[in-house]
Amino acid sequence: MEEIGFLGMGIMGKAMAVNLLKNGFKVTVWNRTLSKCDELKEHGASVGESPAAVIKKCKYTIGMLSDPPAALSVVFDKGGILEEICSGKGYIDMSTVDAETSSKISEAVKGKGGSFLEAPVSGSKKPAEDGQLVILAAGEKGLYETILPAFDVLGKKSFFLGEVGNGAKMKLVVNMIMGSMMNAFSEGLVLADKSGLSSKTLLDVLDLGAIANPMFKMKGPSMIQNSYNPAFPLKHQQKDMRLALALGDENAVSMPVAAAANEAFKKARSTGLGDLDFSAVYEIFKVTEPST
């Protein structure tokens, strides 16, 4: 493929861009804090001075931004994508945003003659490093088919879900389930411990039963060691819970479990845990309420 642009060098974006470079792609990167691009230069990346400069240089550009405001900013702000996007160029937004944000970006890009694909991913730091993400794409089928060689490097499976917005919705449903599960898992670990049971034994029992899953297996051991190195920051998980609940409001879906999980993540953020891994929500369940 021709050179690929990559906007956003956070935990996920950096790992994904490095994967592309390791697999023979030429990549031009940009980040709001440009110093975050230095490590990518060591892997052979070029650096663009703005999103517009990256779009101008590259036929296809991927964005992996932290939230809807950041995703909108790289498109609409001064030096943004819209200044250079045109016919023959494509923008692939792999950020986790709501469907409304994706639609706004799609309309703007297509209004300039460009093509657009939303492609949020299921997976965090380790799957990103290993090229094992699940890619949830929607939008222009032609762009999807063209960018598949890059997706094949970044992920283990890509889904094309139809019209713009469907990728965003699917990702929010997945992350809503994940956040709710993490809360139940945290409560269970605390209940076992307070009941005089071994947390390690609980992990072993869970791993042999019907609810065994990679998240419990991967996160459990570090949680019981009080270690929360951020693969997926808690503040981003809470953002996704909020967006999923808004999607529930739009569709009149009652979501009491997700709502309770969101409150737990908000409480964790308020106690300064937002930059740690989302599994750090465990900490708020460990706190003993003072007796009255």
Side-chain angles (χ1 to χ4, degrees):
M1 285 186 69
E2 302 189 37
E3 186 163 1
I4 291 180
F6 210 112
L7 311 177
M9 291 293 108
I11 290 172
M12 296 294 288
K14 183 172 78 170
M16 293 162 71
V18 167
N19 245 345
L20 290 172
L21 288 160
K22 284 180 177 177
N23 282 273
F25 287 85
K26 289 184 178 178
V27 183
T28 294
V29 299
W30 171 86
N31 193 76
R32 197 175 304 280
T33 305
L34 278 175
S35 60
K36 284 194 173 183
C37 298
D38 290 346
E39 185 180 335
L40 277 295
K41 285 196 282 189
E42 294 172 16
H43 288 277
S46 303
V47 179
E49 62 187 23
S50 67
V54 175
I55 291 281
K56 183 176 183 179
K57 184 179 180 187
C58 304
K59 188 169 184 178
Y60 305 108
T61 298
I62 293 170
M64 180 53 107
L65 295 315
S66 59
D67 54 22
L72 291 166
S73 172
V74 299
V75 177
F76 294 99
D77 283 3
K78 188 177 187 318
I81 286 165
L82 289 188
E83 292 183 11
E84 293 292 344
I85 197 81
C86 59
S87 178
K89 290 183 180 288
Y91 180 54
I92 302 99
D93 190 356
M94 302 186 79
S95 318
T96 298
V97 299
D98 54 292
E100 183 183 357
T101 297
S102 258
S103 295
K104 276 183 190 171
I105 294 171
S106 176
E107 287 168 16
V109 167
K110 290 199 283 190
K112 292 281 190 175
S115 53
F116 177 76
L117 192 71
E118 62 171 357
V121 300
S122 180
S124 56
K125 183 181 179 183
K126 186 73 164 62
E129 290 172 342
D130 296 343
Q132 293 293 299
L133 297 168
V134 177
I135 297 169
L136 308 171
E140 296 188 44
K141 187 72 179 287
L143 179 54
Y144 172 74
E145 290 169 347
T146 301
I147 205 71
L148 262 179
F151 283 176
D152 288 343
V153 165
L154 298 173
K156 61 182 175 182
K157 176 73 174 177
S158 298
F159 292 88
F160 183 75
L161 303 173
E163 64 184 30
V164 168
N166 287 349
K169 291 172 187 175
M170 182 69 83
K171 177 62 193 294
L172 292 177
V173 171
V174 169
N175 276 20
M176 178 272 291
I177 295 170
M178 182 173 74
S180 299
M181 283 175 62
M182 179 54 75
N183 274 268
F185 185 43
S186 296
E187 287 185 5
L189 285 170
V190 172
L191 181 59
D193 182 59
K194 298 290 187 186
S195 303
L197 300 171
S198 161
S199 298
K200 171 72 170 61
T201 303
L202 172 62
L203 295 182
D204 292 340
V205 172
L206 288 173
D207 197 42
L208 293 168
I211 58 168
N213 68 79
M215 184 178 78
F216 291 178
K217 190 178 182 74
M218 184 167 57
K219 299 292 186 185
S222 56
M223 290 167 69
I224 62 179
Q225 294 294 322
N226 307 316
S227 175
Y228 308 108
N229 199 29
F232 182 42
L234 186 145
K235 63 186 178 184
H236 294 333
Q237 174 66 67
Q238 193 270 310
K239 174 261 297 181
D240 293 348
M241 298 302 290
R242 173 173 55 80
L243 294 175
L245 287 165
L247 184 63
D249 285 348
E250 287 173 34
N251 292 283
V253 176
S254 177
M255 296 164 61
V257 175
N262 185 46
E263 291 303 316
F265 285 120
K266 284 198 292 187
K267 184 174 181 180
R269 281 187 67 189
S270 75
T271 59
L273 302 175
D275 289 324
L276 299 179
D277 191 72
F278 79 111
S279 55
V281 73
Y282 177 44
E283 290 294 317
I284 69 161
F285 294 104
K286 287 158 61 175
V287 177
T288 304
E289 296 293 334
S291 55
T292 54

